[in-house]
Amino acid sequence: MSSYLDVGGGCRKRRRGGERVFKFKSFGENGCPVEFDGSFRDNVKALVKYGHLEINLCNDGAFCWSFQLEVHRHPPLHVLLFVVEEPIQASSLINLHCKHCQYVGWGHHMICNKKYHFLLPSKDTVAACFNCDETNFDESNPDKGKLNLVELKGHIMHGVFHSNGFGHLLCVNGMEIGSDQLAGYQIMEFWDRLCAGLQARKVSLSDTSKKRGMELRLLYGVAYGHPWFGRWGYRFGRGCYGVNQPIYQKAIEAIQGIPLCLLNHHLSISNNDISVIFSRYQALSDHSMVTLGDLFHFMLELRARLPKENSIDSCNPATVETNCRWSPKRVEAATRVIVEALKNAEFRWVSRQEVRDAARAYIGDTGLLDFVLKSLGNHIVGNYLVRRCLNPVTKVLEYCLEDISTVFPNSEALIMNNSKAKPRCKITKVQLMKDIAYLYKHILKDQKPTLSTGVFSAIPMATRIILDTKFLVKEYTDEKLSVKGNSFKLLCTVISRNNEGIDEGLKKPIPPYECVSLNENANFDELKQEVEKSFREVYWRLRSFVVETVLNMSVKGSDLVAGSVEMGQKLVFIGSNEDRMGMEDSGWTGIVDCLCGAKEDDGERLISCDICEVWQHTRCVRIPNNEEIPHVFLCKQCEEKIVFLSSLP
C-alpha cells in the first residue's frame, strides 16, 4: 500500500510505496533506526541506508537522503530530516578551511574528506524542495535546476559534522510551545540524541540565541550559571576578545551574587518599579531570595511552571506558620498588632527592634512576638505585603508594608473561603515576561550611573564578559572502546615523517585517535593496512599516507598484534606522506595580537595595521561596529614609532 504524507504546509504530497516513517522522539536512539556500535563515520553509513535517496536536491557529487519523522499523530505533524554527504571535492577553495573550527580553537585539525549536513528544513524550504510541477528537472541535464539544499536559508535545524566526528550546530530556530512547529527544546533534544547515537566526538555552537530582545546566554547565565544550551551539556568552549574560562566563571559568580537588598536600596530611590517587582516575586516565593541570581532563577522556573491558562495564583494565607506552641488565634492576633504598628510608623522602613517595642504594648509574650516577626517576612496579610530586608548600611533587619494592589496590578478582590478572607492575585505569563524584560534592561543592559560605583561596577563588566562568550562545546564521546563484538580493538593515530624528522612531527598536533578493529589472529602488517585505510578515508591530506613503523615498538610485520599489545591500547604510527595540503590552519595566515589578549581569529571583526600587518579587533581600537573600517589604519605601536622618528633631528 502506498504511503500518503503531507510533510509541512505548502509542499506537494509525497507518494512512496513502503517508505518508513520514524518516531521523532526516539530517532537517534540505539536501535532507532539502527544499532550504533561503530565509529562515527561507520554509524553515519549505517544510518543513511534507512533513508530515501534524493536525486534533485544536491549537485557537484554530493549525496542526499531523507527521513520522514512523525512528531505526533493527533494532530498530525511530520517533519523531514535530510542528511547530505558533501565530499571535499564538492567544496569551493574558500570553504575548504572550516571557519567554525578556527573560531572554536580546532584550527589545527586536518581537513576531512567529507562533511555530513543534518537538516530539518522549514515549511517554506520543504515547499521549495518538492514543488508540485517539478518544472526545474531536465532529464537531458540532471544537474540543471537542482537546488543546493545546504545553502538554502531558514532551516529549523542545521548541523554539520566532519568525517572525524567533530561537528558544529549552525542554527536552531524553534517556535513557541503550542504552535504547529517544533519548540527549541524539542529540536535540541533531537540533535543531542543524534550526536550521542552517531558517537560524535565534540560539537560546538555559537550561542547568539535571543528571546524578546534578551540575550539568553546572559539571562540564563545569571539565573542558572550556564547558558540555555547548558541544559544539554554545552559548556564554555572559547571566548572572544581574550575571555578565558576562569574569567567567564568569575563574571558569572559576580553577577549572580549581587545582593538584592543592596540593589533594592540603591535603585528604589530613582526607580520604584524595580522595588515593586522585587516585592511581587518575593511574595510568590516560599523562601527568601537573597541574590540577583536567586530572583532570575525563580522567575524563569515560575515561567516554566505556568499552567496552560498562563496564570498562577499567588495567594499566601493571611496567617503565618502556625506549627508552633502558640494557638492559631494568638498568632493571628500578634500578626494584626505588628501590621498595625507598621501602618502607624513614621517612616516606611522600621527596624525589627522598633516594631517589637511598639507591639509589646499590646502583646506581653516576647517569645510569641519573636516567632511572628521571624515568620512574617515577605508574607501577605490582609491587603498588605509585609516585606523584610537587611539594611545594607546598618546590617539591621527592617520591615515595611506595601499595598498589595501596587505589588500585583491584576489583583482580585478578597474572596471568601470557609468564612476566612484570603487575598488572591494572578500573575500572567505576559506580566512575568514583561517583568523579566524590565529587570534585564534596567539592571543587566542599560545600567544607570547609580550602578557604576561600588559593588555594582561589576555588573557592566561581568555582562560584557558573558556576552563575549559565545562559543560552546560539548564532548560526546571520549576515547573509550565499545566492548561489543569479538574483534580486537585498538586506538590508533599517525604522525607524518616527511622531511622534518620524527621529533619535529611529534611537536605538531596529531589527529585524534581512531578505533581500529582487527581479528584476534591479525598481525602487524594487517594492522598497518587497517590504519592506512582508516586515516586515508578520514583526512584529505593523508589520502596517500603510508604507514612505516609503530612508535616506541620494535615488531615484525608477521608478529601477532594480540600477543604484543593489550586491547584498547593507544598506538602511534609513523609514516610518510607525499601530499602536504590539508591542515586547517593553512587557510588564514594572518597574525592576531590584540590589546584584549586575543592571539587567534575568534570570528569578531578585525582590522589590520597597514605597516606591521598585525590584526586587532575593531572594538578594541575603538572603531564602532556601525562604522566602516577606515581605508588606512595604524596600530598604536606603529603610530608611536612614526611620531618618535619624526621628532629625530
Side-chain angles (χ1 to χ4, degrees):
M1 182 177 178
S2 298
S3 63
Y4 185 69
L5 180 63
D6 184 5
V7 186
C11 72
R12 71 176 175 86
K13 294 183 179 180
R14 313 175 72 189
R15 297 175 178 85
R16 291 179 178 171
E19 184 175 355
R20 293 183 60 181
V21 178
F22 301 96
K23 297 290 186 182
F24 178 83
K25 292 183 179 180
S26 59
F27 190 84
E29 294 178 353
N30 214 11
C32 183
V34 66
E35 291 289 336
F36 299 112
D37 59 357
S39 65
F40 168 78
R41 63 186 184 279
D42 291 334
N43 290 332
V44 174
K45 290 177 183 177
L47 174 67
V48 297
K49 290 180 180 178
Y50 289 81
H52 182 275
L53 182 63
E54 304 285 353
I55 59 174
N56 292 327
L57 298 182
C58 296
N59 50 21
D60 298 325
F63 293 92
C64 178
W65 298 267
S66 65
F67 297 82
Q68 297 189 17
L69 308 178
E70 181 185 74
V71 180
H72 43 70
R73 188 169 296 177
H74 303 292
L77 177 60
H78 298 82
V79 294
L80 281 175
L81 169 68
F82 290 100
V83 181
V84 179
E85 180 186 274
E86 181 185 10
I88 193 66
Q89 294 86 349
S91 301
S92 64
L93 290 176
I94 297 176
N95 295 325
L96 284 182
H97 306 282
C98 179
K99 64 179 181 180
H100 306 292
C101 284
Q102 177 68 38
Y103 297 159
V104 81
W106 303 338
H108 60 279
H109 288 187
M110 286 190 289
I111 295 175
C112 292
N113 283 321
K114 294 179 181 178
K115 293 179 183 178
Y116 297 95
H117 298 266
F118 287 75
L119 305 113
L120 290 176
S122 63
K123 288 182 178 181
D124 294 337
T125 309
V126 173
C129 293
F130 302 104
N131 58 78
C132 296
D133 298 327
E134 297 181 341
T135 55
N136 292 331
F137 183 69
D138 184 355
E139 291 185 359
S140 62
N141 186 3
D143 288 334
K144 181 181 178 181
K146 282 187 178 180
L147 293 171
N148 193 334
L149 183 63
V150 173
E151 294 181 357
L152 290 177
K153 304 297 182 182
H155 295 297
I156 297 174
M157 184 201 81
H158 184 183
V160 61
F161 293 100
H162 303 288
S163 50
N164 63 356
F166 286 79
H168 315 282
L169 180 57
L170 303 183
C171 77
V172 172
N173 294 311
M175 304 296 290
E176 288 284 352
I177 299 175
S179 69
D180 61 349
Q181 292 292 320
L182 294 171
Y185 78 91
Q186 293 175 303
I187 300 171
M188 281 304 302
E189 288 174 356
F190 175 76
W191 170 254
D192 200 48
R193 284 197 307 274
L194 271 180
C195 294
L198 294 172
Q199 295 189 29
R201 293 178 185 269
K202 293 183 180 180
V203 177
S204 76
L205 61 85
S206 177
D207 184 4
T208 56
S209 55
K210 291 184 179 181
K211 191 175 186 68
R212 304 191 184 189
M214 296 181 286
E215 300 277 2
L216 294 189
R217 63 186 182 280
L218 176 58
L219 180 63
Y220 277 75
V222 177
Y224 297 101
H226 56 73
W228 181 75
F229 292 99
R231 295 168 58 183
W232 294 275
Y234 286 85
R235 294 293 183 263
F236 179 95
R238 196 184 198 190
C240 301
Y241 300 104
V243 174
N244 56 33
Q245 188 168 10
I247 293 176
Y248 170 75
Q249 193 58 43
K250 287 181 180 178
I252 288 287
E253 294 170 357
I255 203 167
Q256 278 188 312
I258 298 292
L260 280 181
C261 60
L262 289 178
L263 266 179
N264 185 47
H265 192 80
H266 218 68
L267 295 174
S268 60
I269 301 173
S270 59
N271 190 338
N272 190 56
D273 290 340
I274 291 181
S275 180
V276 169
I277 292 174
F278 285 176
S279 302
R280 182 178 301 154
Y281 293 96
Q282 183 63 78
L284 288 169
S285 176
D286 57 359
H287 63 276
S288 180
M289 293 184 289
V290 179
T291 65
L292 187 63
D294 293 339
L295 176 62
F296 275 103
H297 183 273
F298 175 75
M299 295 175 81
L300 291 183
E301 288 292 304
L302 179 61
R303 178 181 177 275
R305 297 198 307 268
L306 282 176
K308 292 183 179 180
E309 56 270 18
N310 292 336
S311 64
I312 183 170
D313 287 342
S314 59
C315 55
N316 287 344
T319 58
V320 297
E321 180 186 355
T322 56
N323 185 21
C324 59
R325 59 189 176 93
W326 294 279
S327 67
K329 189 174 182 179
R330 292 191 64 192
V331 171
E332 187 176 351
T335 301
R336 288 200 301 268
V337 169
I338 291 173
V339 170
E340 287 299 319
L342 290 172
K343 288 169 62 177
N344 298 327
E346 182 179 357
F347 301 102
R348 182 181 177 216
W349 286 93
V350 185
S351 70
R352 179 186 180 279
Q353 188 61 46
E354 290 173 333
V355 176
R356 188 174 185 269
D357 292 343
R360 281 198 63 187
Y362 304 93
I363 303 294
D365 191 338
T366 56
L368 172 61
L369 289 177
D370 290 338
F371 170 77
V372 173
L373 285 170
K374 179 181 178 181
S375 306
L376 196 57
N378 303 310
H379 272 67
I380 296 175
V381 180
N383 292 326
Y384 295 96
L385 169 66
V386 182
R387 292 190 58 207
R388 180 177 63 189
C389 184
L390 184 69
N391 188 302
V393 178
T394 63
K395 308 299 181 184
V396 173
L397 276 177
E398 295 182 344
Y399 292 79
C400 82
L401 285 183
E402 289 190 7
D403 194 316
I404 197 170
S405 62
T406 63
V407 178
F408 298 100
N410 297 323
S411 59
E412 300 174 352
L414 293 179
I415 59 173
M416 302 303 295
N417 183 16
N418 296 329
S419 302
K420 291 185 179 181
K422 296 181 181 180
R424 187 177 184 182
C425 315
K426 285 190 174 182
I427 290 291
T428 65
K429 191 173 184 178
V430 173
Q431 180 66 48
L432 175 60
M433 290 307 299
K434 283 183 178 179
D435 292 340
I436 292 175
Y438 191 88
L439 294 181
Y440 178 92
K441 177 181 179 182
H442 290 87
I443 296 178
L444 301 179
K445 288 291 287 183
D446 301 334
Q447 296 92 357
K448 302 297 182 183
T450 53
L451 290 181
S452 60
T453 58
V455 67
F456 305 114
S457 62
I459 295 179
M461 183 180 298
T463 296
R464 186 71 267 166
I465 291 172
I466 296 170
L467 291 177
D468 286 342
T469 304
K470 295 186 293 188
F471 296 108
L472 311 176
V473 173
K474 177 174 180 178
E475 184 172 352
Y476 279 91
T477 56
D478 52 21
E479 294 172 341
K480 295 179 181 178
L481 295 176
S482 172
V483 296
K484 295 181 180 179
N486 299 320
S487 59
F488 190 84
K489 297 182 179 181
L490 296 170
L491 290 170
C492 305
T493 189
V494 298
I495 59 173
S496 181
R497 183 192 304 272
N498 293 323
N499 298 323
E500 301 168 345
I502 298 175
D503 293 337
E504 289 299 321
L506 288 172
K507 292 179 181 179
K508 295 182 178 181
I510 59 176
Y513 285 87
E514 294 287 335
C515 177
V516 176
S517 299
L518 301 167
N519 295 323
E520 292 186 354
N521 59 350
N523 58 34
F524 274 90
D525 281 338
E526 293 172 320
L527 173 59
K528 291 177 182 179
Q529 292 175 3
E530 287 297 320
V531 171
E532 284 180 3
K533 176 183 175 183
S534 178
F535 282 85
R536 285 178 178 181
E537 184 179 347
V538 175
Y539 297 106
W540 184 38
R541 182 189 182 191
L542 301 180
R543 58 190 182 274
S544 59
F545 185 78
V546 177
V547 172
E548 297 173 351
T549 60
V550 185
L551 184 66
N552 297 328
M553 287 190 69
S554 178
V555 292
K556 297 178 181 179
S558 58
D559 291 346
L560 293 179
V561 177
S564 303
V565 297
E566 298 179 356
M567 166 84 89
Q569 185 171 331
K570 291 183 177 181
L571 299 178
V572 179
F573 291 81
I574 303 168
S576 59
N577 186 41
E578 296 177 0
D579 196 335
R580 302 300 303 275
M581 283 288 293
M583 292 299 290
E584 291 288 343
D585 56 9
S586 62
W588 188 71
T589 56
I591 299 174
V592 178
D593 188 8
C594 189
L595 300 172
C596 65
K599 301 297 182 183
E600 294 183 63
D601 183 9
D602 55 14
E604 301 297 335
R605 195 170 71 151
L606 297 171
I607 188 171
S608 173
C609 175
D610 289 297
I611 294 180
C612 65
E613 298 183 346
V614 171
W615 294 81
Q616 295 177 294
H617 293 117
T618 53
R619 191 181 89 180
C620 296
V621 295
R622 299 185 179 181
I623 300 176
N625 286 332
N626 56 358
E627 291 185 9
E628 294 185 1
I629 293 177
H631 296 293
V632 178
F633 172 74
L634 300 181
C635 68
K636 186 176 181 181
Q637 290 182 343
C638 291
E639 192 174 15
E640 290 176 350
K641 289 178 181 178
I642 291 175
V643 172
F644 174 74
L645 291 174
S646 63
S647 64
L648 294 177

